[in-house]
Amino acid sequence: MEEWVLLKRFSTIHPSVNGLLYGGDYNPDQWQAYPEVLQKDVELMKLANVNAVSVNIFGWAAIEAEEGTYTFGWLDDVMDNMASIGGHILLSTPSGARPAWLSKKYPEVLRVNEKRQKQLHGQRHNHCFTSPIYREKTAALNKMLAERYKDHPALIMWHVSNEYSGECHCDLCQEAFREWLKNKYDHQLEKLNHAWWATFWSHTFTDWDQIESPSSIGENQIHGLTLDWKRFVTDQTVDFYRNEIKPLKEITPNIAVSTNFMGENPHMGPFEGLDYSRFADYVDVITWDAYPAWHNEWEKTWQLAANTAFVHDLYRSLKGGQPFLLLESTPSLVNWQITNKLKRPGMNLLSSLQAVAHGSDSVMYFQWRKSRGSSEKLHGAVVDHYGNENTRVFKEAAELGSRLASLKEVAGASVDAKVAIIYDWENRWALYEAQGFAKKHLDYVKTCEEHYQAFWKKGIPVDVIPAHYDLSSYEIVIAPMLYMLKRETAQAILTFVESGGTYVSTYMSGIVDENDLCYIESDPNPLFQMLGLRVNEIDSLYKADQQSVNWEGHSYQVSDFCEIVEPMSATVLAEYELDFYKNSPALTVNTYKKGQAYHISARTETGFLDAFYEKLASDHQLSNPIGIELPEGVSLQSRTDGETTYLFLMNFTEETQVVNIPETYELKEIVGEGPISNEVILPTYDVRTLKLVKGSVEVI
Ligand code: GAL
C-alpha cells in the first residue's frame, strides 16, 4: 500500500483573505429605513473581529422591486462599508426567495408538489428548478451583480442561492425527467423496463409519456423509478445551480463559487435530499450550515459532537480534503427546534473551533443581527434587538473573533486520514425505499456514525466519502450497510483489497446493484468471493429479543439485525451466542490477494465497534498524532500541511478533563501565559490549540 503523505497547504478562497473568515449572514436589506443601525453594524463588526459577511441572500425584492427596475444603492453601500474596514463580502445570488410580482406574472416558477397541487406564492426555497423563466431571470440578475461588483475590493466569493432543496412535479419537470431517462437508458424503453423490473404488477411502460414522477396518489412502488427520480432531482438542482453560476464564471472567473449545504436534525447527520457529492465538481469550495441541538435531552454532548464531526469530515472529504467553510451556525439559539435552548457559555467557542479542527477555514453565523419582524425575529444573532455590544452572546462572539485571528496560520491546512468510512446518498435512498427488514430501525446514518465514533474517540483522523470516491490513499475502508453495491464500486473495492487494503463490510451490504435489482445466482454479489462467505438470511429482532456475539472472550449485545452467513474461505473470528444460529459466524476475515476483508454480520453495541477498531488501528499502527489516550468526551482533531500539525483538544463534557501529553513532546510557552505542563487541564467546553512541529507541541 502506498504511503500517502499530505504535503501541501490549500490556498485561501481569495488572495485577499489572510487567515480564517469570521462573520455571518447579514441582512441590511431589512434595515434600509434605519441608517443608524447600518452605521452601528460596521462599528460592532470591528468590535467583534468580524471580517466577512454574506449579503443579498434574500435581497431580490430590494434590488428589483418591480420587473426591470433596479436599485443597487443599498448594496453598494454595504459593499463599500465592508471594504472600508478591510472586510470581505460573500455576495449572494438571491434565487432562494423571489419577489411576489415574479410569481404572479410567471406562475410556472411556482412548485407543484408530489400530489400535483400547485403551490401559492410565499415562503422561500420553493421555485421550480426546471422553469426556463426562473432560470432566465436568475441568470440575468446574477449577470448584473457580477458586472456591477466584479472589481469591488470586498468581493471574495459568490454565495449562490441558499440551501437548495426540495422537488417540483410540474409538467415542465415531468418532461425534463423523461428526457433525463431517455438519456440514461439510451432511448430504449426495454432497458428502462428491465432496470426497473417493471414486469412486476404489470408496470411495463410502452411509451415514455406514461412515465410520471413518484407520487403517493400514483406510482410509488417501483424502486428503480423512485431512485432515478431522486437522482434526477439532484441532477436538475445541480443543473439549475450551473445555470446560476454561468454568468458569474464568465464575468468573474477568479471569484470562487459555492452553495451552502445542510445538515439534518435532531440527530446531526448529512442532509438526505440531495446527493451533495454531485455538486463537488461545480463548487470551488464546500460550504455548509451546521445547527446541532447542543445540550439536548436525548444524547450526551460528546455524542452530538461526534455526529457533527462526522458531517464535517464528510463535507471536507467531498472535495479531496480541501478546507471547507462553515457558512452558518448560531451564536446562541435557533427558533425552529421544539425546544430552543441557548448555547451554554463556552459552547459557541467550542462548536465553532470544532468546525475549524475538522477543516473549516471559517466560522460564520446565521445571523449577524436579529430581524425585527417575521419568522426569524427570535432566532439567535450576534447582535440582539438590544443592538449593543454589552450582551453575553456578543462578548463571547468577540472573544471567538480574536481567538480565530490568532489561529490564522491554520487556514489551508487539511486532514491526513488513512481511514475512510463510506457514507453514500444513493445507498441511503435505496435502503430506505426497500420494503422489509425492521424499517424503523434502519438507522443508516447512525450506524455510519457509530463506526466513525470508534476512531473519533481515539483522535484518529477519518475521511467520510461517498462510494464512488477514490479509495487508493487509505489503509482501511469501512462501508457500513452498503445495501446498494454498484458494480463500479465493487470493482474499486476489489482493487483496493487486492493491493493490500483492509476493507470492513457489515450486515445488509451488497444486496442490490446500481439499478436496485437484487444480485442473483447468475449475477452474484461481486464481493462474496473477496469476503470469503455467502449471506444466507437476515433476521430482524424485536427490542426484547436477546442476542449476543462472543469475540476474544467478551460477550457483546446485538440488536436489530443479524445475518446468518456461510463462510467459504473466510476465517470465523466471532460467533453468535443464542437462538437457532448460535455458534454461527458473526465476524469473519478473509485474506484476499494482498489485503484483508472483514465482515461484521450483526448490529452490535458500540463497545464491540470500539474494541474491534482499536485492534484494527493498532494492527495498522494508526493513532492520533501524539499517541495519547483521551478521556470520554474529549476530542483530539488534527490539521496538517505535512510539516506542521495543528492539534485541537476539545472537551465536550460537563466536567473538567485532564489530558496527559507524553514528555517526549516538549511544550512551548503559551504566549503571554507562561509555561504549561504536559498535564493539560480542560475545563468544561474548553478548547486548547496546540502546534506540533518536529516533535514538539506549542500552544498557539
Ligand atoms: C438556515 C437558513 C437561514 C436561516 C437559518 C436559521 O437553514 O439558510 O436562512 O433560516 O437556517 O437557523
Side-chain angles (χ1 to χ4, degrees):
M1 175 112 298
E2 256 184 46
E3 181 78 351
W4 182 64
V5 188
L6 186 101
L7 261 179
K8 65 175 169 181
R9 208 171 254 267
F10 291 89
S11 50
T12 51
I13 58 161
H14 189 274
S16 67
V17 176
N18 174 19
L20 304 167
L21 297 177
Y22 186 49
D25 284 15
Y26 178 39
N27 300 310
D29 37 316
Q30 294 176 18
W31 296 95
Q32 291 178 69
Y34 299 75
E36 70 288 357
V37 168
L38 296 172
Q39 195 44 50
K40 183 103 190 251
D41 279 333
V42 182
E43 286 156 30
L44 290 174
M45 280 178 199
K46 275 198 281 184
L47 281 180
N49 297 298
V50 159
N51 61 17
V53 288
S54 301
V55 288
N56 196 37
I57 304 174
F58 299 109
W60 195 337
I63 289 177
E64 195 180 1
E66 278 174 51
E67 189 171 17
T69 308
Y70 300 96
T71 315
F72 285 103
W74 65 272
L75 191 50
D76 294 349
D77 290 347
V78 176
M79 303 278 297
D80 294 348
N81 286 345
M82 260 335 255
S84 74
I85 58 166
H88 309 296
I89 295 273
L90 291 74
L91 186 54
S92 287
T93 69
S95 67
R98 59 187 174 277
W101 60 257
L102 204 148
S103 304
K104 192 89 188 154
K105 180 158 178 201
Y106 307 104
E108 74 166 46
V109 306
L110 296 165
R111 267 188 200 173
V112 171
N113 70 14
E114 59 90 26
K115 291 208 166 91
R116 312 305 193 245
Q117 295 158 327
K118 196 160 183 77
Q119 306 296 286
L120 303 178
H121 176 80
Q123 304 195 10
R124 62 172 177 172
H125 301 164
N126 55 7
H127 55 270
C128 167
F129 285 105
T130 306
S131 158
I133 288 176
Y134 205 60
R135 286 176 176 228
E136 183 194 312
K137 289 281 174 196
T138 49
L141 191 51
N142 296 0
K143 184 165 182 255
M144 292 181 89
L145 288 166
E147 270 163 358
R148 189 169 188 95
Y149 298 112
K150 63 178 188 302
D151 297 320
H152 199 285
L155 176 66
I156 56 159
M157 191 183 106
W158 291 106
H159 174 308
V160 179
S161 201
N162 193 56
E163 296 188 341
Y164 287 126
S165 67
E167 52 190 50
C168 173
H169 297 256
C170 73
D171 290 346
L172 291 166
C173 288
Q174 301 293 347
E175 211 32 58
F177 181 42
R178 288 181 202 117
E179 286 309 308
W180 185 93
L181 291 169
K182 284 181 195 162
N183 218 9
K184 175 167 183 190
Y185 295 103
D186 303 326
H187 288 259
Q188 295 174 39
L189 264 181
E190 316 77 68
K191 276 198 183 170
L192 173 144
N193 279 319
H194 180 264
W196 289 2
W197 207 249
T199 41
F200 180 80
W201 287 356
S202 237
H203 283 168
T204 307
F205 294 100
T206 52
D207 195 312
W208 295 96
D209 285 349
Q210 295 159 0
I211 302 172
E212 286 264 343
S213 59
S215 167
S216 57
I217 55 165
E219 185 60 87
N220 62 0
Q221 295 294 307
I222 303 181
H223 291 173
L225 163 60
T226 309
L227 187 61
D228 273 343
W229 169 253
K230 286 176 185 283
R231 288 168 169 151
F232 163 78
V233 169
T234 287
D235 281 2
Q236 199 67 348
T237 311
V238 170
D239 197 58
F240 181 87
Y241 163 79
R242 292 182 68 191
N243 188 67
E244 279 217 52
I245 63 171
K246 199 163 172 278
L248 310 179
K249 281 286 169 199
E250 274 163 17
I251 301 164
T252 57
N254 298 323
I255 301 291
V257 293
S258 186
T259 184
N260 44 341
F261 297 166
M262 288 182 271
E264 224 168 50
N265 286 290
H267 294 281
M268 180 46 70
F271 176 63
E272 184 263 359
L274 291 170
D275 180 349
Y276 284 147
S277 69
R278 306 290 163 192
F279 281 85
D281 285 343
Y282 306 110
V283 294
D284 293 315
V285 58
I286 301 280
T287 57
W288 86 283
D289 304 341
Y291 292 99
W294 295 112
H295 322 292
N296 66 52
E297 59 181 2
W298 56 85
E299 66 201 328
K300 290 185 180 164
T301 305
W302 70 259
Q303 286 167 324
L304 180 60
N307 296 347
T308 309
F310 175 84
V311 187
H312 284 314
D313 283 352
L314 168 65
Y315 290 171
R316 183 196 65 243
S317 305
L318 288 182
K319 256 187 115 53
Q322 179 190 321
F324 61 93
L325 300 180
L326 176 69
L327 210 59
E328 289 183 28
S329 58
T330 178
S332 55
L333 44 60
V334 295
N335 67 338
W336 43 261
Q337 299 276 16
I338 292 173
T339 303
N340 296 297
K341 201 172 169 93
L342 287 173
K343 275 179 164 174
R344 275 28 210 167
M347 181 47 86
N348 188 44
L349 187 124
L350 174 63
S351 57
S352 301
L353 289 185
Q354 184 196 24
V356 175
H358 285 267
S360 178
D361 273 0
S362 73
V363 172
M364 307 279 286
Y365 300 118
F366 178 87
Q367 49 192 339
W368 165 254
R369 177 185 282 278
K370 274 185 183 174
S371 53
R372 187 164 187 193
S374 287
S375 70
E376 289 184 325
K377 62 182 183 292
L378 301 181
H379 191 291
V382 179
V383 183
D384 210 330
H385 295 135
Y386 171 58
N388 194 303
E389 69 273 31
N390 297 318
T391 62
R392 176 184 75 91
V393 173
F394 188 96
K395 284 181 193 155
E396 285 192 35
E399 187 195 329
L400 174 58
S402 66
R403 182 94 181 247
L404 290 170
S406 71
L407 287 175
K408 73 176 183 191
E409 65 178 277
V410 172
S414 191
V415 175
D416 185 9
K418 300 277 184 284
V419 179
I421 294 187
I422 293 181
Y423 161 85
D424 191 83
W425 273 274
E426 292 197 8
N427 178 57
R428 182 174 176 186
W429 297 338
L431 182 63
Y432 279 80
E433 199 53 31
Q435 280 150 280
F437 314 120
K439 261 213 119 160
K440 271 199 188 150
H441 306 295
L442 278 176
D443 288 337
Y444 173 57
V445 174
K446 184 162 174 255
T447 304
C448 291
E449 290 178 343
E450 283 178 357
H451 284 252
Y452 170 87
Q453 271 175 28
F455 296 92
W456 182 88
K457 288 173 187 164
K458 306 210 134 299
I460 299 174
V462 174
D463 281 353
V464 182
I465 54 170
H468 58 283
Y469 273 44
D470 182 20
L471 307 179
S472 60
S473 62
Y474 303 109
E475 289 188 26
I476 300 175
V477 171
I478 300 159
M481 298 174 79
L482 194 59
Y483 165 79
M484 189 176 68
L485 177 67
K486 296 181 183 175
R487 285 174 181 78
E488 253 178 34
T489 306
Q491 192 45 55
I493 293 168
L494 286 170
T495 308
F496 169 73
V497 178
E498 268 168 30
S499 39
T502 296
Y503 181 70
V504 182
S505 89
T506 77
Y507 53 94
M508 250 186 233
S509 291
I511 296 177
V512 298
D513 68 6
E514 53 277 7
N515 292 319
D516 215 342
L517 293 178
C518 292
Y519 285 111
I520 54 174
E521 191 192 5
S522 57
D523 183 12
N525 174 334
L527 293 187
F528 276 173
Q529 203 200 337
M530 179 196 83
L531 293 165
L533 53 76
R534 207 180 84 194
V535 176
N536 286 339
E537 294 182 80
I538 304 180
D539 195 14
S540 295
L541 305 187
Y542 287 103
K543 279 274 164 262
D545 288 341
Q546 290 297 310
Q547 184 53 282
S548 54
V549 301
N550 195 299
W551 181 58
E552 302 203 322
H554 293 278
S555 182
Y556 297 95
Q557 293 303 303
V558 158
S559 59
D560 299 330
F561 303 112
C562 299
E563 271 177 0
I564 306 176
V565 310
E566 191 177 318
M568 282 138 33
S569 53
T571 306
V572 179
L573 301 177
E575 293 174 347
Y576 290 108
E577 294 190 306
L578 299 168
D579 216 329
F580 76 96
Y581 40 94
K582 179 175 173 177
N583 295 337
S584 76
L587 173 69
T588 56
V589 65
N590 194 45
T591 300
Y592 181 76
K593 312 263 172 88
K594 290 192 198 147
Q596 308 247 287
Y598 289 86
H599 186 73
I600 303 172
S601 306
R603 178 171 286 166
T604 64
E605 58 177 297
T606 52
F608 169 81
L609 297 177
D610 293 347
F612 172 69
Y613 287 122
E614 177 164 8
K615 178 154 190 323
L616 212 58
S618 117
D619 289 350
H620 285 258
Q621 293 167 335
L622 296 178
S623 72
N624 58 61
I626 47 174
I628 57 167
E629 287 292 315
L630 296 165
E632 181 181 276
V634 173
S635 169
L636 170 59
Q637 295 299 321
S638 48
R639 290 179 68 168
T640 185
D641 59 9
E643 293 231 316
T644 306
T645 297
Y646 302 95
L647 302 171
F648 295 75
L649 263 176
M650 298 168 277
N651 179 1
F652 285 100
T653 74
E654 282 65 34
E655 294 87 39
T656 295
Q657 302 288 349
V658 179
V659 176
N660 287 301
I661 297 181
E663 297 293 334
T664 41
Y665 296 101
E666 183 199 335
L667 296 182
K668 300 262 176 73
E669 285 188 0
I670 303 175
V671 181
E673 286 182 31
I676 57 164
S677 82
N678 288 72
E679 189 183 72
V680 178
I681 314 267
L682 283 169
T684 299
Y685 304 154
D686 202 12
V687 187
R688 296 296 279 273
T689 335
L690 315 170
K691 188 159 97 168
L692 181 63
V693 195
K694 296 183 193 117
S696 68
V697 178
E698 182 185 337
V699 175
I700 57 171

